[in-house]
Amino acid sequence: MTMLRRIADKPWLWSFVAAFATWLATIAFTGGQGGEQLLTAAFTFATFFVIVGIGQMFVITLGPGNVDLSIPATITLAGSVAMKVADTQDSMILLSLVAALACGLAVGVFNYALILILRIPPIIATLSSSFVVLSTAIAYGRGLRIKPPPMLADFTTAQVAGVPVLAICVAFLAAVMGVVLHRTVYGRSVIAIGQNQRAAALAGIKVERIRFMTYVLSAMLAALCGYLFSGFSGGSSLSMGEQYLLASIAVVVIGGTSVAGGNANLPGLWGAALFLFLVQSMLNTYQLSAGLRYLATGLIIIAVIVLAGGEKARR
Amino acid sequence: MTAVSPARFLRAILPALSLAILLIAVYHLNPRAISPLGFQLMFNLAIPIALATIAQMCVITVNDLDLSIGAYVGFVVCIAATWLQEIPVLGLLALIGGILVYMLLGALIHLRKLPSIVVTLGMSFVWLGLAILVLPTPGGQSPGWLAALMKYKPPPIPFLGGLVIPFPILAAVVIAAVAHVGLMNTSYGSILRGSGGNPKAIERAGWSLLKTKVTMFGLAGFFGMLAGLALIGLTTSAQANVAERYTLLSIAGVILGGGSFVGGRVSPVGAVIGAMTLTLAASFLAFMRIPPDWQIGAQGAILIIVLALRAIIDRLEKPI
Amino acid sequence: MNGKTEAIVRLDGVEKSFGAVHALAGVDLVCRAGECVGLVGHNGAGKSTLMHVLAGTLAPDRGTITVEADNLTGSYSVSLAQQRGIRCVFQELSLCPNLTVAENAHVFHGSLRGWGWRKRSGELIIRKLDEIFPGHGIKAGDNVGDLSIARRQMVEIARAFTVTDIPVKLVILDEPTSSLDAVVAGQLLDFVRRFVAAGGSCILISHLLGEILKASDRIIVMRDGKVVAERPAREFTRDSLVAAMGSVAKALSAEDAAKLASKRHTGEPMARARSGRQGDEKELRAYRGEVVGLAGLGGQGQTEILRSLFFSAQRRNRNASVAAPVALVAGDRQNDGIFPLWSIGRNIGIGSIRRMLKGWLIDPAREDEMAENWRKRIAIRTPDMKNNILSLSGGNQQKALFARALGSDAKIVLMDDPMRGVDIGTKQEVYGIIRAEAESGRTFIWYTTEMDELKNCDHVYVFRNGCIVADLARDELTEEKVLHSSFAEAL
């Protein structure tokens, strides 16, 4: 009984169940062929979803109206800046990482400055800044595809017994962020603000400082994703960030984080990211046309929101 | 005391002022652009953007946001370039279906209290998928009557010394006038806006908030459809993701036009002007010989500048 | 008195409870055509609840509602009230700020549509404004959001009196003059008299006793959810009204008075604050170990001064300063206090989170220990502090908020009318805790709307219109003094 209650209390579990079911449905179609490779691929791609998902989750947890729409642009900018700085040299790996993170820091600070100074809703602020950031990336990258340093490419594609090394690293990162969320003053403050911003301020939490840190965190994680993804996919491209707008939000929501704020679910990010990738590959395996794939993805996301978001929306 | 405060006046003319400044700048760079032909070229693409902006404005009026408008416009483009061209009845049904889906979304968002950004983000995939299903590869053809309409050249007006008003300007005036009358002048229009400003009061007075939401989403679907039709009339062939950027442009247009994100404060005329400003910004940058790379960025910068100006104006107004 | 004029509305034995609080404990009320009924009472007397029952926004637990001889108990609702010509001007404005004055009139009167609706509804509302507030300076095309708060209230009032298809029979005015100046308020009262003379009916709620005495035919005094006096207005005076509102003031025993020898002027004050609107030199001061009460009617600036004190710890403030860490106990639990997704323990711990750190991390053991400790100390009634905060009753939720403040390292505790809707048993327990904590050196600044609670204070400031109007030491504190200062000498 209590066991069942406990499971029902953990909404993130459903995303894993869904991911697993999707996996089963896929390999049932192929007759059990390529199940392992599929899992490996799923973990590889899910890794990138999880990185940006963590940042977006912290932002969304701040409460209604908080969302970071500049993630795709930041990914693109950080990716192209890092690849240009690295200039395919292994010796520049660390410096290019620093450059990427600096881009993230700059975007985060810029986003928050817009929110605070112009007093505009975060959606509009991050949207307008994404215009500028994306343009900077286009002008800076000039559409050239610079190859990543070989060591970075090797690292991002390396596997140990079929498990991507990057996935292990990001699992570690996610675990650390889980601790940050639940066991540090910062994380507690984020959750408190998301539940009731007025009460948080009156309980002595410095709301604006926490919001600032959260937008910077989100942008820096997007930058990290851009850096790693350029390494993984053989260089940066101008469209590399595109799919992350929907993905970053969908992963958070499907993973059981409340859109109303104040309730974050880190493990769910993994389940949702795997699910999102596996749905894509399932639809691929079924040899559905691109149109049907998009259609099914959209409908699944809406269905999940209707089912999960139906809980009483709080103010 | 009853005179309009200067800050308020400034805010009201800010959209038109931005457009005028941009026009002057364009004239400074290239005087020949300020001619009927120049306007035709510079503002042609403003028609679909203005329509999409009006669609977005409808959704913003009731405190929601539509992140699927670009994909939806793309869907309409694909339907118009194929079904509407080949089997008009089927095409028409598909377009009406699109509007019905929008109304359904409005009802769903209201009844289940869903966050509109997530729902519409999901919908953007649905529209994209449908568009690709209809038209898997770029192609198709715009119905002749649409292309003819968009190429329409108004006759010179005799009593204005044979002045020719370029079609895009005429269209913008018509769009702004229709939206203005519908939303700002009709009696139900005030209820629609009121339901964004103080939903509780509207409900307490006995109006249905479900109805206002469904109406506004339905109108968004309608204007989005018009945007798609206008776009296919201007371009020769269709493509599923042709209007991808319309989502962001339409939001920017509403905000540039003086609309607020919440509280039902919108301005249809301002929204059309905002859309034209964004379109003109592209031409302006081309005249400035700014590489096209910076176009989106410059649009973002214009948005930020206008928001900053508005923040300054608001702060001027506060101490009163 | 009876038979001649029919009753528009009649309430018999109406009761309404919110949890443990009896907001209305059996109220009888009759309102006839051609009279204005004044309704007075101190905070929490049940006036607002009674009004919501009349407007149809709250259904009573018991009792009957009769409108024009039809028994409508059970079916009564907002729309039914409107059909019967009963209108209500609520304290919180119900206009749409993004619409014009004329458009707001349309929101209220759906029948104003078709060609020229804007002109007609504009004329309708402006004509009514002209009638009530000559020289109002409002135009039909003005955006309501741009109007001053006084003008918005004028529009709201005028809108309630406009007539399209249903005649207006009874208008309930809840503190209609709260943001009007004396001249405009006078215009309103004159109009009310004309309206009543023409056969209409009004219920007027106001804390300005002069207004009530001037405009009403009959005055009803409420206390503790009951009607305690009902007489023709001319039989009341200001003093007799005040006396009817308060309970009998008990004289302090000599022994108590001696015990309460002032603790003032012992060193520097722990906290000081003044309102920006304060014209004179009066300022709020609280010394170590003192319990300072903020009295007066609700919403007279007490909450604002508490907030400026609270935030002055984070950011320098010209009008407020504190000499030690502060904590605040919210009165509006749902909006200002509770974190609804958290357990009781977490809700308490958030106030002292930095003291539970072990290195960078919060130590769950210390968190549980603190929760358990406070459960025992203030007797929060729950089997497990890990249960959700909403599983507690209102009173126990409030105790948890007290625990949050008292458990922190704050030397100054601000209380924003925290005992609203709390049962008497819990109250007594909390009073005990406050006294004990004050003995041990903590300073309390306590805004309360309940007269009885002021008796726990060492020093009381009475607020009116955002300013301190009286500064009473414990030995000079009487209920009458507080009431007299709370109610202005208007008109």
Side-chain angles (χ1 to χ4, degrees):
Chain A
M1 260 309 272
T2 44
M3 184 76 179
L4 271 174
R5 279 261 300 277
R6 281 212 162 165
I7 290 172
D9 273 353
K10 301 214 180 314
W12 53 266
L13 213 65
W14 297 112
S15 59
F16 281 97
V17 172
F20 186 64
T22 319
W23 180 70
L24 281 183
T26 315
I27 59 168
F29 187 81
T30 59
Q33 292 256 307
E36 278 172 44
Q37 287 97 309
L38 180 60
L39 267 187
T40 304
F43 270 104
T44 309
F45 282 94
T47 302
F48 299 108
F49 289 157
V50 169
I51 298 174
V52 289
I54 293 171
Q56 187 73 280
M57 183 188 74
F58 273 85
V59 171
I60 287 180
T61 301
L62 282 176
N66 284 292
V67 66
D68 187 352
L69 296 186
S70 67
I71 284 179
T74 313
I75 289 176
T76 310
L77 178 69
S80 44
V81 167
M83 289 311 107
K84 207 160 176 177
V85 168
D87 197 21
T88 73
Q89 302 297 309
D90 277 347
S91 57
M92 300 292 281
I93 282 190
L94 271 184
L95 196 65
S96 59
L97 175 63
V98 170
L101 292 179
C103 288
L105 179 69
V107 174
V109 169
F110 186 57
N111 278 340
Y112 187 73
L114 289 181
I115 295 171
L116 188 73
I117 298 170
L118 301 190
R119 290 191 196 151
I120 47 180
I123 295 184
I124 295 294
T126 53
L127 178 71
S128 5
S129 83
S130 78
F131 281 19
V132 178
V133 172
L134 188 62
S135 235
T136 315
I138 294 172
Y140 183 83
R142 301 237 144 264
L144 295 177
R145 200 180 180 89
I146 304 173
K147 282 208 164 147
M151 257 169 75
L152 179 63
D154 290 347
F155 169 71
T156 48
T157 48
Q159 292 178 8
V160 176
V163 182
V165 171
L166 198 56
I168 299 170
C169 295
V170 173
F172 181 71
L173 173 74
V176 169
M177 293 312 287
V179 172
V180 168
L181 181 66
H182 293 292
R183 296 273 306 275
T184 65
V185 174
Y186 165 73
R188 281 286 171 86
S189 305
V190 169
I191 300 176
I193 291 169
Q195 292 179 64
N196 190 339
Q197 183 165 329
R198 281 165 61 101
L202 291 174
I205 292 170
K206 297 187 174 62
V207 174
E208 292 308 328
R209 186 185 300 175
I210 300 293
R211 292 223 300 165
F212 169 70
M213 288 163 73
T214 306
Y215 278 92
V216 168
L217 174 73
S218 171
M220 287 184 70
L221 283 171
L224 179 66
C225 176
Y227 174 74
L228 294 172
F229 193 65
S230 329
F232 175 77
S233 58
S236 62
S237 74
L238 291 180
S239 58
M240 66 190 276
E242 265 169 22
Q243 58 169 329
Y244 285 94
L245 180 58
L246 179 91
S248 67
I249 299 176
V251 161
V252 172
V253 178
I254 296 174
T257 293
S258 162
V259 194
N263 186 7
N265 246 308
L266 228 143
L269 287 181
W270 274 105
L274 289 170
F275 172 66
L276 217 58
F277 177 80
L278 286 168
V279 164
Q280 294 291 328
S281 50
M282 175 181 76
L283 300 172
N284 270 328
T285 316
Y286 289 175
Q287 290 170 334
L288 294 184
S289 68
L292 280 177
R293 285 207 309 270
Y294 281 121
L295 185 63
T297 313
L299 288 178
I300 288 170
I301 289 167
I302 293 174
V304 169
I305 303 296
V306 172
L307 291 178
E311 61 189 298
K312 258 199 151 183
R314 289 176 300 106
R315 270 177 6 101
Chain B
M1 215 17 213
T2 48
V4 181
S5 74
R8 173 135 214 100
F9 177 69
L10 261 178
R11 187 162 50 184
I13 63 155
L14 194 57
L17 203 65
S18 335
L19 181 63
I21 290 174
L22 215 50
L23 267 177
I24 291 168
V26 166
Y27 178 75
H28 185 73
L29 290 171
N30 188 347
R32 273 185 309 169
I34 309 298
S35 67
L37 184 66
F39 271 60
Q40 180 96 27
L41 293 174
M42 284 192 300
F43 285 117
N44 244 341
L45 279 173
I47 303 174
I49 294 178
L51 286 164
T53 304
I54 295 289
Q56 185 69 260
M57 187 195 70
C58 291
V59 177
I60 288 181
T61 305
V62 283
N63 300 339
D64 279 316
L65 197 64
D66 183 5
L67 295 184
S68 68
I69 191 75
Y72 173 68
V73 171
F75 162 77
V76 173
V77 163
C78 289
I79 291 285
T82 53
W83 294 4
L84 195 63
Q85 158 84 355
E86 293 145 18
I87 323 161
V89 178
L90 191 62
L92 207 61
L93 283 178
L95 294 180
I96 292 171
I99 297 175
L100 288 179
V101 169
Y102 257 86
M103 295 168 79
L104 199 71
L105 280 182
L108 197 66
I109 286 170
H110 176 75
L111 293 175
R112 301 226 56 183
K113 296 194 172 78
L114 300 177
S116 58
I117 41 167
V118 191
V119 176
T120 55
L121 210 47
M123 275 313 289
S124 70
F125 274 57
V126 172
W127 295 125
L128 183 62
L130 289 173
I132 294 176
L133 283 179
V134 172
L135 186 71
T137 51
Q141 203 186 355
S142 66
W145 55 275
L146 267 177
L149 175 69
M150 296 309 288
K151 288 203 185 76
Y152 172 72
K153 285 207 173 69
I157 303 169
F159 55 83
L160 285 178
L163 180 73
V164 176
I165 299 176
F167 178 66
I169 305 298
L170 196 65
V173 170
V174 170
I175 295 165
V178 167
H180 182 87
V181 168
L183 197 58
M184 310 302 281
N185 276 2
T186 64
S187 59
Y188 194 59
S190 65
I191 302 299
L192 291 173
R193 282 180 291 128
S195 72
N198 189 349
K200 237 171 96 187
I202 293 289
E203 200 170 27
R204 205 186 269 168
W207 303 91
S208 158
L209 289 180
L210 174 67
K211 202 174 141 197
T212 58
K213 196 84 119 194
V214 169
T215 307
M216 283 320 240
F217 271 79
L219 282 174
F222 175 73
F223 280 105
M225 178 193 77
L226 292 186
L229 294 180
L231 184 57
I232 186 65
L234 287 171
T235 50
T236 44
S237 73
Q239 202 186 329
N241 59 359
V242 58
E244 214 175 10
R245 282 178 49 205
Y246 276 33
T247 302
L248 304 186
L249 283 177
S250 63
I251 299 174
V254 174
I255 303 295
L256 270 185
S260 288
F261 206 52
V262 286
R265 283 175 215 273
V266 291
S267 156
V269 176
V272 171
I273 292 178
M276 292 174 75
T277 310
L278 285 173
T279 325
L280 188 62
S283 309
F284 170 68
L285 296 167
F287 289 133
M288 287 274 284
R289 290 170 212 281
I290 287 176
D293 298 348
W294 283 102
Q295 266 184 29
I296 332 171
Q299 282 167 340
I302 291 176
L303 190 57
I304 291 171
I305 290 168
V306 172
L307 286 172
L309 283 176
R310 210 189 295 168
I312 293 170
I313 292 172
D314 281 349
R315 235 164 266 190
L316 285 179
E317 207 170 25
K318 272 278 161 58
I320 299 171
Chain C
M1 188 154 153
N2 45 12
K4 260 180 114 180
T5 46
E6 60 173 317
I8 292 178
V9 180
R10 173 189 288 276
L11 300 182
D12 289 298
V14 166
E15 290 180 33
K16 179 80 194 173
S17 313
F18 301 102
V21 183
H22 293 283
L24 295 177
V27 172
D28 304 324
L29 181 141
V30 179
C31 194
R32 296 182 191 82
E35 71 168 347
C36 175
V37 179
L39 189 57
V40 293
H42 203 262
N43 298 296
K47 291 170 300 182
S48 291
T49 313
L50 183 66
M51 211 193 65
H52 278 283
V53 168
L54 280 170
T57 42
L58 275 180
D61 301 333
R62 222 162 280 128
T64 57
I65 304 175
T66 317
V67 179
E68 295 172 317
D70 299 329
N71 188 337
L72 299 178
T73 315
S75 64
Y76 199 61
S77 67
V78 182
S79 56
L80 198 58
Q82 274 172 359
Q83 278 169 36
R84 294 298 188 128
I86 298 171
R87 308 268 181 83
C88 204
V89 179
F90 288 99
Q91 248 174 320
E92 88 256 38
L93 295 170
S94 52
L95 299 170
C96 296
N98 60 331
L99 301 185
T100 65
V101 173
E103 285 165 348
N104 267 294
H106 167 66
V107 168
F108 208 64
H109 296 288
S111 58
L112 286 169
R113 56 169 164 243
W115 193 252
W117 68 274
R118 187 187 295 270
K119 191 154 174 266
R120 275 181 285 132
S121 63
E123 276 168 2
L124 180 75
I125 186 87
I126 293 296
R127 216 179 306 132
K128 194 50 84 175
L129 276 167
D130 287 342
E131 191 183 338
I132 307 176
F133 307 107
H136 51 78
I138 300 167
K139 286 194 233 113
D142 287 347
N143 253 330
V144 167
D146 296 339
L147 297 175
S148 67
I149 199 112
R151 286 190 169 150
R152 269 187 245 180
Q153 192 151 20
M154 286 152 76
V155 172
E156 177 101 31
I157 292 166
R159 191 174 74 159
F161 282 102
T162 51
V163 182
T164 46
D165 35 12
I166 305 161
V168 183
K169 292 190 179 135
L170 168 65
V171 178
I172 305 158
L173 299 161
D174 186 6
E175 300 286 358
T177 57
S178 56
S179 47
L180 302 180
D181 65 44
V183 176
V184 179
Q187 289 177 338
L188 173 65
L189 298 184
D190 290 344
F191 174 78
V192 166
R193 289 315 310 168
R194 294 204 298 278
F195 178 71
V196 169
S201 168
C202 265
I203 296 179
L204 177 64
I205 302 174
S206 176
H207 67 264
L208 300 172
L209 300 182
E211 279 181 16
I212 294 278
L213 287 165
K214 186 181 163 207
S216 315
D217 300 296
R218 192 154 52 93
I219 296 177
I220 295 177
V221 182
M222 288 186 74
R223 193 172 72 219
D224 302 329
K226 292 192 202 85
V227 173
V228 291
E230 180 178 356
R231 265 178 277 164
R234 60 179 182 281
E235 293 177 21
F236 274 112
T237 63
R238 222 188 105 84
D239 290 335
S240 66
L241 264 183
V242 170
M245 276 191 283
S247 48
V248 185
K250 274 174 265 169
L252 217 56
S253 73
E255 187 192 357
D256 281 350
K259 216 162 64 185
L260 289 162
S262 182
K263 296 174 189 160
R264 300 241 117 181
H265 315 298
T266 47
E268 279 294 295
M270 295 291 281
R272 56 201 310 169
R274 48 185 283 117
S275 144
R277 288 153 77 182
Q278 190 84 38
D280 52 24
E281 288 303 300
K282 285 201 186 74
E283 71 168 2
L284 185 157
R285 267 187 230 158
Y287 295 84
R288 200 179 126 79
E290 223 181 13
V291 180
V292 171
L294 310 185
L297 293 156
Q300 301 293 311
Q302 300 96 331
T303 299
E304 287 73 12
I305 215 152
L306 286 181
R307 272 166 194 267
S308 60
L309 273 170
F310 181 79
F311 287 110
S312 71
Q314 292 176 16
R315 195 181 294 172
R316 286 182 67 86
N317 184 324
R318 204 155 37 90
N319 287 322
S321 62
V322 286
V326 283
L328 185 136
V329 184
D332 185 349
R333 283 191 291 279
Q334 303 314 327
N335 283 325
D336 292 349
I338 296 287
F339 297 105
L341 301 177
W342 270 349
S343 69
I344 308 161
R346 285 229 167 140
N347 263 288
I348 294 176
I350 187 74
S352 21
I353 199 157
R354 284 181 195 283
R355 282 190 296 140
M356 298 191 289
L357 288 179
K358 210 177 199 175
W360 282 84
L361 298 181
I362 296 164
D363 182 1
R366 272 190 226 180
E367 215 178 351
D368 294 346
E369 188 189 308
M370 177 179 176
E372 208 41 48
N373 184 4
W374 278 98
R375 181 168 81 121
K376 292 199 192 99
R377 268 186 76 181
I378 65 172
I380 295 174
R381 288 175 194 93
T382 178
D384 187 350
M385 293 297 274
K386 288 199 166 62
N387 285 347
N388 184 278
I389 183 86
L390 298 179
S391 68
L392 294 177
S393 68
N396 278 296
Q397 287 180 23
Q398 198 64 56
K399 278 192 194 172
L401 294 186
F402 267 103
R404 182 193 292 168
L406 299 178
S408 73
D409 55 4
K411 288 279 166 281
I412 304 165
V413 178
L414 311 172
M415 300 193 282
D416 184 9
D417 200 10
M419 294 307 193
R420 268 181 278 174
V422 172
D423 64 280
I424 187 73
T426 307
K427 279 182 182 170
Q428 295 301 342
E429 289 173 39
V430 174
Y431 299 158
I433 297 166
I434 291 172
R435 296 285 355 153
E437 290 285 329
E439 299 280 315
S440 68
R442 270 193 160 138
T443 304
F444 288 83
I445 302 178
W446 185 358
Y447 163 39
T448 171
T449 49
E450 290 182 34
M451 205 57 76
D452 278 342
E453 292 189 339
L454 292 176
K455 294 180 181 132
N456 294 298
C457 301
D458 300 310
H459 203 93
V460 172
Y461 294 95
V462 185
F463 280 71
R464 193 176 72 226
N465 283 332
C467 301
I468 298 169
V469 289
D471 175 353
L472 305 166
R474 180 64 181 88
D475 45 6
E476 28 179 33
L477 176 75
T478 63
E479 185 163 359
E480 231 162 344
K481 271 190 189 161
V482 173
L483 276 175
H484 263 287
S485 328
S486 305
F487 288 90
E489 294 281 355
L491 297 172

